[in-house]
């Protein structure tokens, strides 16, 4: 058996079998076969229980012959969406538009009318008990049937192709079968519906109602403007289809290696920072040299990009180096930074979300991640929060008066580190809030360390302070800086005592003058209308 399987990729069924998940301990379950399932389901309704990745296997096995009369899932976030929103292999199946429901859907069937196929490899025991409690005994477990199939044949029923190759083949198939749709605009961001893409979208829907705007999301319950379609990032077939058929891409990440850029498609790279950034990035960063595949990926991307959206001469120069980009930039400004010019609106939104009294002032503390010293520079870790919340709150109240809350915002890649952190009542964890620009706009003051979000409150002259106990170590071992730390227009501290002193001795007039000179020197002129300019460009380029 080992020789027969040599060279085959291990798939999720193999991994589940390797971990012993295919053994239920119930004789009648452990002997189930696909032949028995086909015989039992003939002439009956087939209901799929589980809309996760494992459901793909049912459609991979039966392809267009797959029968599907209902999809059930215990995850309420999937309810109301369609089968092909989450199940990649349902893409070409005629019944893919069946809506996903909860287990109450089973109540409409009498005994013997339907057969349930459980697709979950981890929770099929719990699901089988759930079905039995509802009086449903005709159910089959996909994992067990496939394990028995492979055991009888001595090798996997389906040879699992390398994921990247499989996706490349499908992308090429999309290119052959489906034309580019000029009025389709595809958005993808580092987070979900956030960053520059969010603000461009909201400006675009105001001036064009005839465009097919598609957002790739992890969380399909994310609210988007009316008329914007959502595609699940995890559903790779729909993701590739939407991207390959879109006339324009608006991205802040690299194009996946398996996606083909077609003639007539336009690629706008927004990046996920503002008009000025502190750290070198991508091809300009020495840290990238340690990961050759990332270097090649961004070199490929730089050749595909048609335009980079920039907000200053400094921004253009750093983007040309970082992206390896030689094309035309769009000097429209920083769309996401438009939020800074809508403080009252964003304050109501953020304060309402966290139920903060409108009379309370807020400090946003937004430190960035550090590289994981054990795993390497491709992995992020959260630095221990060393801010003395009590001491800093006292300094804020002495200098700026009033009552203060501190909003703690860790970088999205390490946000989970906040969950078990002990914090005083006046410290609010906002790490799970999707739009960091709304937070920066709502807060009265910001403290950061090396995150480039530090510049955005400064666009509207809000006070910004820097606090990092590892300045020299960071510069030596983390990122190369584009701007010398000591040349930033913000008071920097390496201890809580120094930070508290900087806050107490803050001089607003001197700060405003210093920030103004700094931004002028780097050619930054944000005015709150960048997203409108990008939207106008997109509209004009697409045409009527």
């Amino acid at each position: 058996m080992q020789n027969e399987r040599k060279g085959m990729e291990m798939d999720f069924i193999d991994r589940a079998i390797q971990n012993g998940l295919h053994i239920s301990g119930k004789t009648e379950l452990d002997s189930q076969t696909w032949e028995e399932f086909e015989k039992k389901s003939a002439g009956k309704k087939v209901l799929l229980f589980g809309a996760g990745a494992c459901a793909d296997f049912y459609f991979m096995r039966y392809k267009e012959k797959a029968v599907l009369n209902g999809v059930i899932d215990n995850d309420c976030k999937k309810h109301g969406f369609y089968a092909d929103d989450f199940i990649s292999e349902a893409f070409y199946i005629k019944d893919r538009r069946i809506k996903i429901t909860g287990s109450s859907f089973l109540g409409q069937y009498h005994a013997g009318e339907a057969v349930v196929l459980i697709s979950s490899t981890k929770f099929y025991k719990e699901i089988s008990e759930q079905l039995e409690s509802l009086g449903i005994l005709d159910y089959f477990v996909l994992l067990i049937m496939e394990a028995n199939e492979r055991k009888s044949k001595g090798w996997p029923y389906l040879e699992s192709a390398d994921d990247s190759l499989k996706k490349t083949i499908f992308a090429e198939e999309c290119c052959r079968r489906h034309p580019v749709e000029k009025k389709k605009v595809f958005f993808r961001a580092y987070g979900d519906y956030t960053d520059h893409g969010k603000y461009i979208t909201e400006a675009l829907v105001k001036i064009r109602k005839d465009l097919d705007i598609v957002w790739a999301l992890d969380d399909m319950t994310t609210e988007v403007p009316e008329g914007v379609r959502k595609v699940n990032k995890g559903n790779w077939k729909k993701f590739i289809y939407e991207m390959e058929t879109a006339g324009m891409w608006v991205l802040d990440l690299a194009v996946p290696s398996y996606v083909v850029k077609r003639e007539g498609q336009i690629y706008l790279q927004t990046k996920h920072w503002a008009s000025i950034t502190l750290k070198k990035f991508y091809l300009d960063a020495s840290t990238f040299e340690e990961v050759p595949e990332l270097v090649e990926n961004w070199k490929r991307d730089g050749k595909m990009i048609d335009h980079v959206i920039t907000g200053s001469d400094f921004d253009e120069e750093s983007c040309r180096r970082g992206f390896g980009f030689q094309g035309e930039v769009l000097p429209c400004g920083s769309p996401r930074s438009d939020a800074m010019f809508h403080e009252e609106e964003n304050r109501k939104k953020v304060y309402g979300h966290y139920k903060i009294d409108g009379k309370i002032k807020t400090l946003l503390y937004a430190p960035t991640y550090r590289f994981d010293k054990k795993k390497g520079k491709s992995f992020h870790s959260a630095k221990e929060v060393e801010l003395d919340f009590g001491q800093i709150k006292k300094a804020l109240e002495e200098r700026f008066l009033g009552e203060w809350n501190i909003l703690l915002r860790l970088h999205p890649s390490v946000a989970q580190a906040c969950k078990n952190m002990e914090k005083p009542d006046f410290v609010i964890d906002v790490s799970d809030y999707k739009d960091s620009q709304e937070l920066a706009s709502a807060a009265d003051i910001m403290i950061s360390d090396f995150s480039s979000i530090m510049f955005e409150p400064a666009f509207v002259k809000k006070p910004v302070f820097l606090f990092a106990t590892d300045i020299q170590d960071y510069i030596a071992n983390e990122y190369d800086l584009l701007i010398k730390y000591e040349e930033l227009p913000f008071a920097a501290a390496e201890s809580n005592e120094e930070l508290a002193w900087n806050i107490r001795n803050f001089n607003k007039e001197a700060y405003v003058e210093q920030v103004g000179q700094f931004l002028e020197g780097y050619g930054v002129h944000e005015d709150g209308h960048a997203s409108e300019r990008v939207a106008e460009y997109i509209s004009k380029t697409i045409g009527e």
Side-chain angles (χ1 to χ4, degrees):
M1 181 174 176
Q2 291 300 319
N3 290 334
E4 290 172 323
R5 295 189 59 179
K6 187 176 181 180
M8 290 185 176
E9 297 286 339
M10 179 177 285
D11 67 2
F12 65 88
I13 297 289
D14 288 320
R15 287 189 286 271
I17 293 172
Q18 190 178 60
N19 292 323
L21 298 179
H22 64 299
I23 302 173
S24 73
K26 294 183 178 181
T27 304
E28 65 275 17
L29 274 186
D30 290 340
S31 61
Q32 286 184 343
T33 65
W34 283 110
E35 289 76 13
E36 184 184 352
F37 166 75
E38 291 170 6
K39 184 178 179 180
K40 191 77 173 180
S41 61
K44 296 182 180 180
K45 303 293 184 182
V46 176
L47 308 177
L48 185 65
F49 204 126
C54 298
D56 282 334
F57 199 86
Y58 173 60
F59 298 100
M60 289 168 65
R61 181 182 176 100
Y62 291 104
K63 296 183 170 58
E64 67 276 359
K65 294 180 181 179
V67 177
L68 186 64
N69 301 105
V71 181
I72 302 153
D73 200 286
N74 285 328
D75 183 355
C76 62
K77 286 188 175 182
K78 295 180 180 179
H79 297 172
F81 290 100
Y82 292 99
D84 68 332
D85 283 325
F86 290 92
I87 306 172
S88 298
E89 295 297 337
F91 187 79
Y92 285 126
I93 304 301
K94 64 179 180 179
D95 297 323
R96 68 181 186 272
R97 301 308 286 169
I98 289 178
K99 283 192 174 182
I100 301 170
T101 65
S103 58
S104 60
F105 177 76
L106 295 166
Q108 65 182 282
Y109 293 101
H110 298 294
E113 282 188 324
V115 171
V116 178
L117 175 61
I118 303 173
S119 67
S120 174
T121 59
K122 292 183 179 179
F123 303 109
Y124 69 82
K125 294 179 184 179
E126 292 83 351
I127 293 172
S128 64
E129 291 175 0
Q130 182 181 357
L131 292 173
E132 289 176 10
S133 71
L134 295 171
I136 298 171
L137 303 179
D138 290 338
Y139 62 83
F140 290 80
V141 179
L142 186 152
L143 171 62
I144 293 174
M145 293 190 293
E146 185 57 26
N148 288 331
E149 177 93 9
R150 295 184 181 193
K151 182 179 179 181
S152 68
K153 291 180 178 291
W155 61 77
Y157 176 77
L158 287 178
E159 181 175 339
S160 176
D162 173 77
D163 277 350
S164 182
L165 176 60
K166 181 170 62 176
K167 292 173 181 177
T168 299
I169 292 171
F170 182 75
E172 292 172 349
E173 180 185 346
C174 282
C175 294
R176 289 194 304 271
R177 296 178 61 171
H178 306 286
V180 171
E181 299 171 28
K182 184 179 180 181
K183 291 189 175 183
K184 180 189 287 188
V185 186
F186 180 90
F187 285 84
R188 181 190 181 208
Y190 180 79
D192 258 8
Y193 179 65
T194 186
D195 221 273
H196 299 293
K198 169 186 173 180
Y199 291 90
I200 295 169
T201 297
E202 293 181 356
L204 192 56
V205 296
K206 290 178 181 178
I207 61 174
R208 294 292 293 264
K209 303 297 183 184
D210 60 327
L211 300 182
D212 182 15
I213 299 174
V214 181
W215 261 89
L217 303 171
D218 286 313
D219 182 0
M220 292 289 281
T221 64
T222 300
E223 291 186 10
V224 297
E226 184 178 353
V228 174
R229 289 196 298 117
K230 297 181 282 190
V231 60
N232 180 14
K233 289 180 184 176
N235 187 332
W236 62 269
K237 281 195 173 180
K238 286 198 75 173
F239 177 91
I240 291 173
Y241 168 79
E242 298 291 0
M243 196 165 182
E244 290 291 5
T245 55
M248 185 175 290
W249 301 336
V250 184
L251 316 175
D252 70 4
L253 295 167
V255 174
S257 60
Y258 46 82
V259 170
V260 179
K261 187 181 180 220
R262 305 167 67 178
E263 184 177 352
Q265 288 183 313
I266 298 172
Y267 171 15
L268 302 187
Q269 171 58 242
T270 68
K271 64 201 185 315
H272 48 267
W273 52 88
S275 297
I276 185 169
T277 187
L278 178 62
K279 296 163 287 193
K280 291 185 178 181
F281 55 90
Y282 304 147
L283 300 178
D284 195 30
S286 60
T287 51
F288 252 54
E289 297 173 2
E290 300 177 19
V291 191
E293 57 269 28
L294 290 180
V295 172
E296 291 306 311
N297 199 26
W298 279 108
K299 283 183 177 179
R300 171 181 179 264
D301 210 71
K303 294 176 182 177
M304 287 193 289
I305 296 171
D306 291 291
H307 304 290
V308 177
I309 297 171
T310 61
S312 66
D313 293 340
F314 173 86
D315 197 18
E316 177 180 343
E317 292 168 6
S318 60
C319 283
R320 290 199 182 283
R321 294 193 304 271
F323 291 115
F325 173 69
Q326 300 302 320
E328 180 185 357
V329 300
L330 298 179
C332 297
S334 174
R336 76 178 201 181
S337 301
D338 290 351
M340 299 303 118
F341 297 83
H342 299 276
E343 179 180 336
E344 184 176 349
E345 175 186 339
N346 290 321
R347 187 183 293 265
K348 287 181 180 178
K349 189 181 296 186
V350 172
Y351 274 43
H353 183 81
Y354 290 104
K355 297 179 173 56
I356 302 172
D357 189 314
K359 297 178 182 178
I360 294 177
K361 298 178 182 180
T362 50
L363 161 75
L364 177 62
Y365 177 43
T368 192
Y369 61 84
R370 300 297 189 269
F371 290 132
D372 191 305
K373 289 181 169 56
K374 293 182 179 179
K375 295 181 179 179
K377 293 186 176 181
S378 293
F379 300 89
H380 299 168
S381 65
K383 186 179 185 296
E384 180 183 355
V385 174
E386 297 174 290
L387 193 74
D388 185 330
F389 297 120
Q391 184 176 2
I392 300 310
K393 181 176 186 288
K394 183 179 179 182
L396 289 167
E397 291 172 348
E398 289 178 5
R399 170 61 183 83
F400 298 99
L401 307 179
E403 185 179 352
W404 285 78
N405 279 353
I406 296 176
L407 309 180
L408 175 59
R409 168 77 168 189
L410 297 189
H411 189 277
S413 66
V414 294
Q416 289 300 315
C418 257
K419 300 304 178 186
N420 300 317
M421 190 183 300
E422 291 187 10
K423 303 175 287 291
D425 291 341
F426 60 84
V427 175
I428 302 170
D429 176 14
V430 297
S431 297
D432 61 352
Y433 195 83
K434 291 190 175 181
D435 193 326
S436 57
Q437 278 60 51
E438 288 182 359
L439 293 172
S441 174
D444 297 279
I445 294 175
M446 174 182 284
I447 295 177
S448 188
D449 50 6
F450 300 95
S451 173
S452 291
I453 197 175
M454 68 173 70
F455 297 108
E456 293 181 86
F459 294 160
V460 291
K461 307 303 187 292
K462 279 190 178 183
V464 175
F465 298 92
L466 302 180
F467 172 64
T469 60
D470 60 343
I471 293 176
Q472 298 308 317
D473 180 69
Y474 187 94
I475 295 172
N477 300 307
E478 298 277 339
Y479 277 101
D480 301 321
L481 302 187
L482 288 164
I483 304 170
K484 292 181 179 179
Y485 205 67
E486 61 271 17
E487 293 179 2
L488 294 171
F490 316 119
E494 296 185 69
S495 69
N496 280 284
E497 291 72 23
E498 188 178 6
L499 175 60
W501 190 93
N502 288 340
I503 292 172
R504 289 191 181 96
N505 291 276
F506 176 75
N507 183 314
K508 184 176 180 179
E509 290 184 3
Y511 172 78
V512 169
E513 182 179 355
Q514 191 171 355
V515 165
Q517 291 175 354
F518 177 86
L519 296 178
E520 184 66 34
Y522 282 93
V524 179
H525 301 98
E526 293 297 336
D527 61 1
H529 298 286
S531 54
E532 296 168 23
R533 286 188 283 271
V534 178
E536 288 288 352
Y537 168 81
I538 292 174
S539 178
K540 182 178 179 180
T541 301
I542 291 175
E544 297 301 325

